[in-house]
Structures are given as C-alpha cells and as structure tokens.
Amino acid sequence: MPKSKVRKKADYTPSPASRTPVKVKAGPSPVWYVALMLGFMLAGLIWLIVYYLAAEHIGFMNDLGAWNFLIGFGLMVVGLIMTMRWR
C-alpha cells in the first residue's frame, strides 16, 4: 500500500502590527476607589446576610421580599465591575 504524502504547513508569523507595545495612560488607582469598590461588595454581602437573618424584624426589608436578592447581588456586581478599572 502506498504511503500518503505529508504536506508541510507554513510556519505562523504574527503580523508586526500586533507586536507594537501599548502604553498605559493611567497610573495606580486612588485609595478611595479601592475603598469604594470593596465597600460595594461588602454592602451587598451584608445586605443579604441581614435579609436572611432578620428580615421579619425589619419592616421595609420584609416588604421588599425577593427584591432583596436583586439589591444585594446588584451591589456586589457593581463592586465586581469596578475591579475591571482597578490598577
């Protein structure tokens, strides 16, 4: 049985445009930004913990019902989105 011929593939050469360095315009994030970011995440966590433990004793929180999940997770997501801009 004859052997099949093996074709050589061309070596990959990256385009020179993709190798140009990108300058970062901004320096490190200010301290207040990090504090605010962590504050949003902790506020969301605390909101959910308080909802689970004491919702029946807090009138407005009990009236919100399932919206408490949106508020708690929403606060945490805002903090998480802020991490993308953190340097």
Side-chain angles (χ1 to χ4, degrees):
M1 180 174 267
K3 237 181 178 183
S4 64
K5 294 181 182 179
V6 178
R7 285 185 263 163
K8 287 189 175 184
K9 293 182 180 180
D11 292 337
Y12 174 73
T13 55
S15 63
S18 66
R19 296 183 55 94
T20 56
V22 177
K23 291 185 180 180
V24 177
K25 298 176 184 175
S29 297
V31 176
W32 63 265
Y33 188 83
V34 177
L36 188 65
M37 174 183 69
L38 293 174
F40 273 121
M41 288 191 254
L42 285 174
L45 180 65
I46 290 170
W47 186 280
L48 290 174
I49 289 172
V50 170
Y51 172 65
Y52 273 118
L53 296 178
E56 62 272 356
H57 302 297
I58 302 171
F60 75 91
M61 195 173 266
N62 199 19
D63 294 339
L64 286 173
W67 286 97
N68 286 299
F69 293 114
L70 180 68
I71 294 169
F73 286 117
L75 288 169
M76 287 192 282
V77 167
V78 168
L80 184 67
I81 289 172
M82 287 179 72
T83 61
M84 290 189 267
R85 305 278 296 178
W86 177 39
R87 297 187 190 271

